[in-house]
Amino acid sequence: MKLTVFGATGGIGREIVGQALASGHEVTAVVRDPARLTATGGRLTVLRADLSDPESLRGALTGRDAVLSGLGARSRADAGVAARLTRSVLTAMEAEKVRRLLVVSAAPVGPVPDGQGLADKAVLAIVNAVLKDVYADLRVMESDLAASTADWTSVRPPKLTDKQGTGRYRTVVGGTPPRGRSLARADVAHAMLAMIDDPATVRQGVGVAY
């Protein structure tokens, strides 16, 4: 497939690019600073673009089969980035008639699962309080997705780690895996790539966790 990846120099974005290339896909990586992207290969095209300008993104989307985005806040100071930049991506996709979009969100944006223990609920309440601005941003992003014409999927992992991916994780379409406390960035990327062709995930939030 021909894929475009936004946020390609972030932790999840780098994994998406590397795994997609290893699987034989053609990848266009859209970045602010090409020097930060270490991936190489004959099937890789790197484009520098202003992510806040939809017109500058259109060339990266022409003829693409799917778009995968790792865009999001790296700290509380970045709150607002996910919704604002995803809105630019959606505008450019609509102009280029590209429909499939997979984005990274977070588990607290999804529903609390049945059977969640008291300890997990207490931790979730603390995390929600500390990162409330970041999660508010992601909720706005998901609201924009729902209002769009895109065939979107919002992937909602819990706490992210840099451990090696295992490929052994749980997914719940429209929900959240109970007692799902962590997920490696490599497995977030693996799940997103696996969902591209899965019709059950279209216009759905999908919880992913170990």
Side-chain angles (χ1 to χ4, degrees):
M1 283 188 287
K2 295 180 179 180
L3 308 177
T4 294
V5 180
F6 290 96
T9 59
I12 293 173
R14 287 196 301 269
E15 289 288 347
I16 294 172
V17 171
Q19 292 181 36
L21 291 172
S23 297
H25 299 299
E26 293 182 26
V27 177
T28 297
V30 183
V31 298
R32 288 195 183 99
D33 181 5
R36 294 183 57 204
L37 186 65
T38 58
T40 59
R43 294 186 304 276
L44 174 65
T45 300
V46 181
L47 294 180
R48 171 183 273 168
D50 177 0
L51 301 182
S52 65
D53 177 14
E55 281 298 315
S56 75
L57 306 181
R58 291 183 59 176
L61 296 171
T62 305
R64 300 289 98 178
D65 297 308
V67 177
L68 299 97
S69 172
L71 296 170
R74 297 182 181 182
S75 69
R76 284 182 290 174
D78 293 331
V81 165
R84 178 168 53 85
L85 297 185
T86 301
R87 204 170 293 132
S88 290
V89 172
L90 285 167
T91 299
M93 286 178 61
E94 185 172 359
E96 292 298 320
K97 296 180 171 53
V98 178
R99 296 189 59 85
R100 190 69 174 115
L101 172 65
L102 299 98
V103 304
V104 178
S105 184
V109 177
V112 176
D114 293 335
Q116 189 83 310
L118 291 177
D120 288 316
K121 288 181 179 178
V123 169
L124 180 61
I126 294 170
V127 171
N128 273 328
V130 172
L131 297 177
K132 62 180 180 180
D133 292 338
V134 173
Y135 296 142
D137 177 28
L138 293 175
R139 290 185 179 96
V140 172
M141 178 190 73
E142 292 205 10
S143 178
D144 288 343
L145 291 172
S148 76
T149 60
D151 293 334
W152 57 271
T153 299
S154 180
V155 180
R156 300 167 176 161
K159 179 181 178 181
L160 297 171
T161 77
D162 290 321
K163 293 181 180 179
Q164 185 174 354
T166 66
R168 297 188 297 274
Y169 47 81
R170 295 172 291 153
T171 62
V172 178
V173 176
T176 306
R179 297 173 297 282
R181 298 175 182 175
S182 69
L183 192 66
R185 289 177 174 84
D187 276 332
V188 179
H190 184 275
M192 292 176 74
L193 289 165
M195 291 179 198
I196 292 174
D197 281 336
D198 185 353
T201 67
V202 172
R203 299 188 69 82
Q204 294 283 346
V206 181
V208 187
Y210 294 132

